[in-house]
Amino acid sequence: MDREQERTEHPSGEHTHESNEHEHEHEHEHDHSHDTLDLKEQPEAESWLSHWPLLTAFVILLVMLTLEFGFDYQPEFPFNLAIFSVAFLLAGYNVLGMAWRKARHFDFFNEFFLMSTATIGAFSIGSYSEGVAVMVFYSIGEWFQDAAVAKAKRSIKALLDIRPDKVTVIRDGQPVVVNPKEIKTDETIQVKVGEKVALDGVLISDAGTFNTAALTGESVPDTKRKGEAVFAGMINLDKVSEIQVTSLFKDSKLSKILEMVQDATARKSQTQLFISRFAKVYTPIVFTLALLVCFVPYFFTNPYDFHQWFYRALVFLVISCPCALVVSIPLGYFGGIGLASRNGILFKGSNFLDVMTAITVVVMDKTGTLTKGVFKVQEVVTIDGIDKTELVKHTAAIEKSSTHPIAKAVVDFAEASEAKAEGVEEISGHGLIGKVGDKNIHAGNAKLLKKYDISYPGEVDSLIETVVVVAIDGKYAGYITIADEIKEDAKEAIEQMHKLGIKTVMLSGDKQAVVDKVAKALGIDTAYGDLLPEGKVAKVQALKDAGSRIAFVGDGVNDAPVVALADAGIAMGGLGSDATIETADIVIQNDQPSKITAAIRVGKITKQVVWQNITIAMVVKVVVLALGAGGIANLWEAVIADVGVALLAILNVVRIQKMHLK
């Protein structure tokens, strides 16, 4: 299956309920439909008391075994049959009911029918205590498995579903507490200290500090200024803030992230798909082998003891139960998705956890991915006799009349300059001219000075960075270089990729000289500049044709064609972009390039644990199956081995949920 097919596969393809009766089956929690995560309405975990029938059966079993082995006493038939039958029904009524309902749909090859057959068979040959023990311990194992899956689901839900159910809105000048679903766009909400922001909006207050850990995985406080975006899920840290709502409750970034994580658990990995197919073939094979174990010896042994070989066949059925595989594998992927989410990385499918383990080349956009995407003044150079502060002050006064990002960089660098410009005129494609005080100022590119016959040093034309050239009263005065800043952890991210043996490539629409400078500073293997979107596609296609497995990291919007072409599309800063969440396969919410390797590590950890579980389960089952067929293992050992493997797999998966990424 190619990546686009995986991406578009709807969970209903795997989880469609064929009838209302089938839906009812899922209410019993033993259908192992644990590979889809429902975050919308998740019931609380069941208490111990809700399992009183199973616990009662366990107590009855202990009492009967104590009487038999401790006091050498066993009730006569039919009293012992009656007592053990009560315990059997208390422990297994769910399993027996599920087996019956599935049998009515001619579905006989499942673990419920398998366990029912094995335990009823044990009763038929008088092995009452063993039959009860198999059902009791199997049901206890199911209970633990369901509890582990529920915990994995709750850990993801608790991490993300932090939307408050009440919000204070200002209506007719008065604060009113309402459900956030009732809030409309453009209304003003009030968020007190310690409260969670309920809806996306724009900060109306002058400033506010927020904890964004639930959205980005980073607990560092983030200070927002008036007019800046604030998102649902952030926690107000310092003072009452007022926010103008920009989207409805259901359309908030957090709501979209919740939907994405829910969908992620429905998109199965290749390993999950394989095990699902394997289980469908494995179970009928086991039934067939059990029949052969029971009847084939008739032709080879003399005398043939039906009771003995029937018992061995029952052992064979019990140990062959595939529940450890069926539960532990989706549980492993839940753990991986949860670990990634806690670190600000959102996978849109468990299939992409596997994809990230096979990546050989990471292709990155420059602006907004490796650099901050914010222009800042890098250097101010003046001729003798011109003060740098004065040059910046005069240039900023002129640039205040422009909305260009370069102009904003100069104005921000000058900070609170009180100088004012008059008669400012913009020369399209060249720059600005105007008057500051009694001085005529020209500020723009070199073409502006050429246009007005103002001479300047030739070195200006050879500068790599964006340059604002300044002339005062018709004479060249100096220049200001402006460049996009490299992110603090970009170099570390590249080094981490190289340690993992991953080749790094940078693609950018910026001029080649700028791209080369950034690539050299970061240690990137290959860098291409002056690229249009189709040029980026061609470069990525060439890498794929060479047999590379590609992860493309960009903004997920402008680079949509490349994201679609890559094996895994990773979006940086997806928190602020609806389009990014829709386009990318993996969203890194806090803009940090170092999270790219964190995503790869999560994939590797998850795959390692999943395959450990598969190996352990298969090895133990094959050994005990052989021992059971040979008459060495009994029903007690079979059920303990089966439940033990399942619990061992669960404990192995729990390790993922407790791990911390650097």
Side-chain angles (χ1 to χ4, degrees):
M1 181 184 294
D2 63 29
R3 197 169 66 90
E4 287 306 307
Q5 286 175 315
E6 288 176 335
R7 222 186 256 169
T8 56
E9 178 185 323
H10 195 275
S12 60
E14 288 291 332
H15 304 283
T16 301
H17 300 301
E18 296 177 0
S19 65
N20 290 335
E21 183 175 7
H22 195 158
E23 288 179 7
H24 179 70
E25 292 175 11
H26 285 262
E27 294 173 8
H28 290 273
E29 293 192 3
H30 292 286
D31 200 12
H32 287 322
S33 297
H34 298 314
D35 43 2
T36 301
L37 176 59
D38 184 6
L39 291 169
K40 293 178 181 177
E41 294 294 335
Q42 183 115 349
E44 291 296 319
E46 293 182 339
S47 66
W48 282 74
L49 292 177
S50 66
H51 292 276
W52 69 266
L54 175 58
L55 296 174
T56 302
F58 181 63
V59 171
I60 293 173
L61 177 63
L62 286 180
V63 170
M64 295 298 287
L65 291 176
T66 301
L67 290 174
E68 180 179 354
F69 296 103
F71 298 93
D72 197 23
Y73 171 77
Q74 192 173 13
E76 295 293 327
F77 182 87
F79 297 107
N80 61 341
L81 174 61
I83 294 170
F84 279 117
S85 294
V86 170
F88 178 70
L89 292 174
L90 285 172
Y93 71 94
N94 270 337
V95 177
L96 295 169
M98 188 71 71
W100 169 246
R101 281 191 290 274
K102 286 183 173 291
R104 287 171 57 191
H105 293 287
F106 301 100
D107 179 7
F108 301 104
F109 299 119
N110 57 75
E111 63 188 86
F112 311 108
F113 195 80
L114 184 153
M115 278 296 157
S116 299
T117 301
T119 51
I120 292 173
F123 265 71
S124 70
I125 60 175
S127 298
Y128 306 141
S129 62
E130 290 174 286
V132 172
V134 169
M135 189 60 79
V136 165
F137 286 111
Y138 172 75
S139 297
I140 289 174
E142 290 287 282
W143 177 9
F144 288 161
Q145 290 165 12
D146 289 336
V149 172
K151 181 180 179 180
K153 291 180 178 182
R154 288 197 306 273
S155 68
I156 297 176
K157 185 174 193 257
L159 176 73
L160 292 173
D161 195 6
I162 57 172
R163 297 170 296 182
D165 55 7
K166 293 181 181 180
V167 64
T168 303
V169 60
I170 306 299
R171 290 176 177 169
D172 299 324
Q174 298 296 321
V176 182
V177 178
V178 300
N179 189 296
K181 294 179 180 178
E182 300 175 17
I183 303 295
K184 298 178 181 178
T185 54
D186 295 328
E187 286 197 285
T188 299
I189 60 173
Q190 191 178 77
V191 185
K192 299 180 178 65
V193 177
E195 282 187 342
K196 297 166 185 173
V197 179
L199 303 104
D200 294 349
V202 174
L203 188 64
I204 298 176
S205 306
D206 291 335
T209 302
F210 299 87
N211 183 330
T212 65
L215 299 174
T216 65
E218 300 294 326
S219 58
V220 178
D222 185 7
T223 300
K224 299 290 185 181
R225 305 293 178 187
K226 184 175 183 178
E228 292 186 343
V230 177
F231 299 106
M234 293 182 175
I235 301 175
N236 189 11
L237 294 179
D238 60 354
K239 57 187 175 183
V240 176
S241 297
E242 292 192 348
I243 298 166
Q244 184 177 12
V245 176
T246 56
S247 64
L248 299 176
F249 184 72
K250 65 182 179 65
D251 297 324
S252 70
K253 299 294 182 297
L254 185 57
S255 295
K256 291 181 182 296
I257 290 169
L258 286 167
E259 291 173 9
M260 188 174 78
V261 175
Q262 180 176 339
D263 290 343
T265 60
R267 294 186 181 189
K268 294 183 177 181
S269 70
Q270 290 296 323
T271 307
Q272 287 172 279
L273 293 171
F274 166 75
I275 291 298
S276 297
R277 292 191 295 267
F278 173 78
K280 291 177 181 178
V281 176
Y282 169 83
T283 308
I285 290 176
V286 163
F287 268 104
T288 303
L289 290 175
L291 290 173
L292 293 176
V293 167
C294 182
F295 295 111
V296 167
Y298 174 81
F299 301 100
F300 299 98
T301 60
N302 188 21
Y304 170 71
D305 185 348
F306 173 78
H307 183 283
Q308 174 189 352
W309 290 103
F310 183 61
Y311 183 86
R312 293 186 185 186
L314 296 181
V315 174
F316 199 91
L317 286 180
V318 171
I319 189 56
S320 64
C321 178
C323 55
L325 291 174
V326 175
V327 172
S328 67
I329 291 169
L331 183 60
Y333 284 100
F334 285 167
I337 290 171
L339 175 62
S341 299
R342 285 197 300 276
N343 286 272
I345 306 165
L346 297 179
F347 281 83
K348 290 182 73 171
S350 57
N351 50 319
F352 295 115
L353 283 164
D354 282 349
V355 168
M356 290 304 289
T357 65
I359 293 301
T360 58
V361 179
V362 173
V363 182
M364 295 159 282
D365 184 30
K366 181 180 75 68
T367 305
T369 301
L370 296 171
T371 65
K372 295 180 179 179
V374 178
F375 287 99
K376 287 195 174 183
V377 171
Q378 304 296 310
E379 186 180 17
V380 178
V381 177
T382 62
I383 62 172
D384 291 339
I386 300 293
D387 181 67
K388 290 183 179 181
T389 303
E390 181 184 4
L391 181 78
V392 171
K393 181 178 68 174
H394 288 133
T395 306
I398 292 287
E399 298 287 7
K400 283 180 183 177
S401 302
S402 174
T403 57
H404 194 282
I406 292 175
K408 185 177 184 302
V410 175
V411 173
D412 290 345
F413 184 73
E415 296 179 341
S417 173
E418 297 180 359
K420 294 183 179 180
E422 298 177 351
V424 177
E425 179 184 355
E426 183 171 358
I427 311 299
S428 181
H430 293 71
L432 302 166
I433 60 174
K435 195 166 186 176
V436 179
D438 59 352
K439 299 181 183 298
N440 292 310
I441 306 296
H442 291 70
N445 54 34
K447 290 187 291 184
L448 179 68
L449 271 62
K450 289 178 182 177
K451 180 179 177 67
Y452 288 92
D453 295 325
I454 300 173
S455 60
Y456 60 88
E459 66 184 56
V460 173
D461 290 327
S462 62
L463 293 171
I464 295 175
E465 295 88 353
T466 299
V467 179
V468 177
V469 187
V470 183
I472 299 176
D473 289 335
K475 293 183 179 181
Y476 169 77
Y479 62 82
I480 302 172
T481 61
I482 297 172
D484 193 359
E485 280 192 313
I486 294 174
K487 292 180 179 177
E488 288 82 0
D489 67 331
K491 187 173 179 61
E492 176 191 356
I494 302 301
E495 291 174 350
Q496 289 174 348
M497 290 178 214
H498 288 159
K499 288 180 181 178
L500 293 173
I502 295 172
K503 181 182 177 183
T504 54
V505 177
M506 183 168 66
L507 306 179
S508 177
D510 286 352
K511 56 187 179 180
Q512 188 66 50
V514 175
V515 172
D516 287 340
K517 183 177 180 180
V518 173
K520 183 178 180 181
L522 296 178
I524 292 173
D525 297 320
T526 310
Y528 300 98
D530 299 312
L531 293 176
L532 296 174
E534 55 267 28
K536 293 183 180 181
V537 170
K539 295 295 184 186
V540 171
Q541 186 62 59
L543 289 167
K544 286 183 69 73
D545 292 343
S548 299
R549 297 279 286 177
I550 308 294
F552 179 81
V553 191
D555 61 12
V557 183
N558 299 330
D559 297 307
V562 195
V563 169
L565 182 61
D567 296 287
I570 305 176
M572 301 292 288
L575 179 62
S577 170
D578 291 336
T580 300
I581 291 177
E582 294 297 326
T583 306
D585 305 315
I586 302 164
V587 178
I588 294 175
Q589 298 182 78
N590 61 5
D591 284 335
Q592 292 182 347
S594 57
K595 296 294 185 181
I596 301 169
T597 49
I600 295 172
R601 288 200 299 274
V602 170
K604 289 182 180 293
I605 289 169
T606 303
K607 189 172 184 178
Q608 183 182 40
V609 168
V610 165
W611 279 100
Q612 284 173 354
N613 285 349
I614 292 173
T615 303
I616 292 169
M618 294 307 298
V619 168
V620 171
K621 285 185 180 296
V622 167
V623 170
V624 182
L625 282 172
L627 294 175
I632 300 173
N634 59 29
L635 277 176
W636 281 96
E637 291 160 344
V639 70
I640 290 171
D642 177 56
V643 174
V645 168
L647 295 180
L648 189 61
I650 291 169
L651 292 174
N652 195 27
V653 167
V654 168
R655 292 192 304 118
I656 300 178
Q657 300 176 34
K658 297 182 179 298
M659 287 181 179
H660 298 279
L661 297 177
K662 292 181 180 179

